[in-house]
């Protein structure tokens, strides 16, 4: 049987079922020979068992599902056996029509028990105790309802359609057992899900049970026609439905691997059960009399109140679930969409065929505002920016438009755009609007933002669009504040180049390819060296000596500057201590080490400086750290670290002074000893003009604040003379010596640094 093609099996079952019903119809009109109807029973049951076994053996069926269908086959086989025994009983005259013998009943019961067992073992998702409890309660609700109805409509009147008490009761119990299995199947499916079983197949299966239960209900119809029997009439139909269910399951297994489905249905079934029973109770009570009616009405109202209470609780839960879902996609500070929702939204818009622009907006100098005015104001500003951005986007078509916050002071805008230039036109206007003062906790603040934008379609993809916008945004930041920059591919190449350099630099650091060169810093009057600046070099095995300009930016961007800078610091301290031991304390007053913004932001920087000084045995006063204005301008932890370094007794120099933010306020908050006046102001110091004016102004500031000024990049005697005239006392530059390896500077103790071998 199992080798039959499934479709042939179905057709055969349908044919047999049809014959059985036609024969039954004929029997209703004329007396027919009873034996004929029973002939089909073993065949049709065989077909159903075969269909179940085919489903169990289908490729791709989960182990639990296969087991279930084997059990159903077994249960059905037993019921078939019971039916045969039923038929035999009839012919041997043991049972009268409509009634069932003891052995037959026993076989039926075992068959039903097997089916019940199969249902109980449907492998679902693993469940908690509470869920089992709920399942038990729900099943009980439905069973009690069904029993109540049965009692009302069937049992209370059963004597009227069954002559014999004992066997009549038996057939009614069989009917109820069958019904219980059906009810149980529906409840189980509705409340606990079907695990790896096909949901529709299970519903069909339950319908097969319902058809079987109907067999008992035919009894009143058959009592006047003893040659007809419910079993051979109903069983073929039951078997046919079972075949269809098994076929459905077999196909489902073939279509896709079965994934355990878990679905919790709201208590619709229990409400319907309660409601139906209430109607029954009221109807019954109304017919019987006033006193019982009062109790019934009270009970019903009470039940409805409890149900209503439960409904509101469920509604609350549903609301909670919705708000949790909302939170997962939104930023709690501004109520804007978050990154997750942004990505989904872009993907959705691209999927609908839109070309969209994604712009990343980063507020410039937000950290300074946050630090100066406090976090409450900072948060208010972030909210005000969010509101302003939403205002700006209001005219964009709603199906594409989105404003999101990606955390910190970074926002994203999504809007339709044909290409980057058109997106930039919109963003330029938007940036202008954004510059209008914003109200943040009573402060009227003006913000600038760096914006990067990328435009793409479905082919580009959401993630890639965001990445491109991010790359462009970074480029905008590098170019300065308040810029809008569109993505172009060269940016990626630059990024890739930097990543490659960083990877090689990592190796260079580990294999000792880095060197420290030293450049003297001298007293302008007589050229006596007072210190040296440590400058890193990369001795590349193939490309020779690489200057820091070529790899420091990459190191900075990738964070590799932290270990590199740490290595330079250690090396410089060690070398300075060695010089002091060899040449005496006057030989060299200090070594100056460049510290990148990234290093300074790293917490514990001051502690590491202290450790290196100790390890090298160098007095703190012999070390100077050079920081740029940008590194400390943002304030915050970098400035704290710098104060900490200063407290150690280390000197602090502000590097490239005059080129960065050059906020004079910075000189009050930042613990500075030395201003290093940038080479660009030194270059033209001999000519009359703005630049020399600045060199003059800068020395004025240094003097006024009692800071030492070092003029950087002095290359000619004329420049040195002009600087001296302006009042500069210290200088550094090729005129006095190029950066050179430590070994070339051992004459440092002797007066003339001009004689130091020129390298670098
Ligand atoms: P910087 O700190 O301004 O260093 C001074 C730069 O000016 C050095 O370039 C030096 O060789 C160059 N220089 C000195 N005198 C003259 C001169 O008379 N004429 C000209 N044309 N140039 C002169 P270098 O060594 O190539 O370093 C470039 C930059 O790389 C440094 O600028 C500094 O910002 C960075 N750097 C170097 N070493 C380190 C380091 O160990 N850590 C960090 N974070 N940055 C470093
Ligand atoms: Ca420097
Ligand atoms: Ca400098």
């Amino acid at each position: 049987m199992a080798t039959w093609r499934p479709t042939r099996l179905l057709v055969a079952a349908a044919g047999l079922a049809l014959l059985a019903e036609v024969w039954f119809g004929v029997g209703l009109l004329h007396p027919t020979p009873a034996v004929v109807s029973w002939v089909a029973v073993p065949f049709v049951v065989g077909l159903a068992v075969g269909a179940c076994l085919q489903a169990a053996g289908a490729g791709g069926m989960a182990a639990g599902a296969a087991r279930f269908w084997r059990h159903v086959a077994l249960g059905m086989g037993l019921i078939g056996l019971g039916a045969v025994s039923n038929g035999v009983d009839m012919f041997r005259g043991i049972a009268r029509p409509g009634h069932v013998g003891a052995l037959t009943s026993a076989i039926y019961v075992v068959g039903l028990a097997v089916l019940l067992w199969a249902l109980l073992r449907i492998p679902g998702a693993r469940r908690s105790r509470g869920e089992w409890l709920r399942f038990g309660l729900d099943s009980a609700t439905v069973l009690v309802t069904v029993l109540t109805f049965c009692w009302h409509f069937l049992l209370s009147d059963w004597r009227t359609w069954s002559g014999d008490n004992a066997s009549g009761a038996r057939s009614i119990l069989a009917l109820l057992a069958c019904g219980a299995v059906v009810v149980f199947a529906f409840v189980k499916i509705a409340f606990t899900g079907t695990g790896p079983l096909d949901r529709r197949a299970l519903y069909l299966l339950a319908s097969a049970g319902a058809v079987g239960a109907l067999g008992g209900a035919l009894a009143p119809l058959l009592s006047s026609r003893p040659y007809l029997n419910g079993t051979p009439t109903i069983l073929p139909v039951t078997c046919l439905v079972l075949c269809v269910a098994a076929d459905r399951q077999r196909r489902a297994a073939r279509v896709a691997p079965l994934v355990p489905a878990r679905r919790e249905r709201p208590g619709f079934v229990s409400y319907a059960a309660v409601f139906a029973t209430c109607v029954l109770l009221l109807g019954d009570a109304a017919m019987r009399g006033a006193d019982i009616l009062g109790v019934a009405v009270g009970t019903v109202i009470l039940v409805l109140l409890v149900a209503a209470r439960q409904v509101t609780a469920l509604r609350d839960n549903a609301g909670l679930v919705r708000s949790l879902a909302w939170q997962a996609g939104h930023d709690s500070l501004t109520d804007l969409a978050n990154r997750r929702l942004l990505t989904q939204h872009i993907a959705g818009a691209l999927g609908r065929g839109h070309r969209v622009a994604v712009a990343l907006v980063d507020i410039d100098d937000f950290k300074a505002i946050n630090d100066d005015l406090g976090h409450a104001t900072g948060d208010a500003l972030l909210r005000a920016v969010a509101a302003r951005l939403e205002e700006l986007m209001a005219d964009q078509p709603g199906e594409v438009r989105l404003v999101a916050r990606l955390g910190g002071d970074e926002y994203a805008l999504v809007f339709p755009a044909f290409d980057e230039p058109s997106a930039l036109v919109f963003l330029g206007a938007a940036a202008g609007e954004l510059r209008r003062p914003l109200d943040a906790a009573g402060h009227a603040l003006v913000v600038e933002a760096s914006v990067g934008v990328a435009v793409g379609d479905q082919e580009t993809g959401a993630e890639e669009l965001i990445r491109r916008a991010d790359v462009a945004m970074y480029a905008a930041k590098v170019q300065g504040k308040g810029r809008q920059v569109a993505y172009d591919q060269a940016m990626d190449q630059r990024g890739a180049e930097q990543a490659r350099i960083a990877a090689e630099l990592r190796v260079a650091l580990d294999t000792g390819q880095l060197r420290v060169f030293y450049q003297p810093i001298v007293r302008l009057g007589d050229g006596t060296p007072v210190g040296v600046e440590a400058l890193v070099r990369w001795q590349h095995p193939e490309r020779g000596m690489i200057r820091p300009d070529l790899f420091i930016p990459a190191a900075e961007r990738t964070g590799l500057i932290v270990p590199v800078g740490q290595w330079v610091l250690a090396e410089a301290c060690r070398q300075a201590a060695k010089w002091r031991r060899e040449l005496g304390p006057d030989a060299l007053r200090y070594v100056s080490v460049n510290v990148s913004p990234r290093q300074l932001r790293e917490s514990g920087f001051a502690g590491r400086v202290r450790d290196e000084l100790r390890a090298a045995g160098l007095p703190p006063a012999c070390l100077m750290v050079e920081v740029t204005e940008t590194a400390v301008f943002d304030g915050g932890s970098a400035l704290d670290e710098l104060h900490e370094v200063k407290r150690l007794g280390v000197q602090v120099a502000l590097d490239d002074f005059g080129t960065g933010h050059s906020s004079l306020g910075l000189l009050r908050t930042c613990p500075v000893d030395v201003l290093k006046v940038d080479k660009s102001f030194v270059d033209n110091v001999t000519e009359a003009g703005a630049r020399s004016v600045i060199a003059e102004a800068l020395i004025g500031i240094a003097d006024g604040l009692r800071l030492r000024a070092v003029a950087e990049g002095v290359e000619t005697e004329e420049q040195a003379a002009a600087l001296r005239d302006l009042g500069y006392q210290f200088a550094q530059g090729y005129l006095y010596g190029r950066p050179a390896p430590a070994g070339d500077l051992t004459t440092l103790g002797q007066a003339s640094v001009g004689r130091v071998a020129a390298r670098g």
Side-chain angles (χ1 to χ4, degrees), residues 345 354-357 359 389-403 413-418 422-430:
H345 177 87
H354 293 283
R355 262 186 91 73
V356 305
L389 288 176
E390 287 207 292
E391 227 172 84
L392 292 175
M393 293 281 284
D395 292 341
Q396 297 290 338
E399 47 178 340
V400 177
R401 169 188 71 203
L402 186 77
V403 181
L413 307 177
V414 184
F415 53 95
F418 177 67
S422 61
L424 280 179
V425 170
F426 170 71
L427 290 171

Side-chain angles (χ1 to χ4, degrees), residues 78-90 92 94-95 99-112 170 174:
L78 281 167
I79 286 175
L81 193 66
V84 170
S85 149
N86 196 349
V88 171
D89 287 353
M90 306 286 297
R92 288 172 57 208
I94 296 174
H99 303 128
V100 185
L103 174 68
T104 304
S105 296
I107 301 177
Y108 276 146
V109 165
V110 174
L112 283 173
R170 236 188 347 248

Side-chain angles (χ1 to χ4, degrees), residues 521-531 589 724 729-731 736:
I521 298 162
V522 304
R523 199 185 295 282
L524 258 175
D526 53 7
T528 333
V530 292
R589 296 219 203 121
R724 237 188 333 258
Q729 294 187 327
F730 303 97
Y736 308 103

Side-chain angles (χ1 to χ4, degrees), residues 533 594 626 654-657 676-679 712 732:
E533 176 173 2
N594 293 286
E626 296 193 6
L654 217 46
D655 205 355
D656 304 338
F657 190 70
K676 298 196 77 171
V677 176
D678 192 71
K679 181 174 184 299
E712 290 191 297
Q732 178 182 355

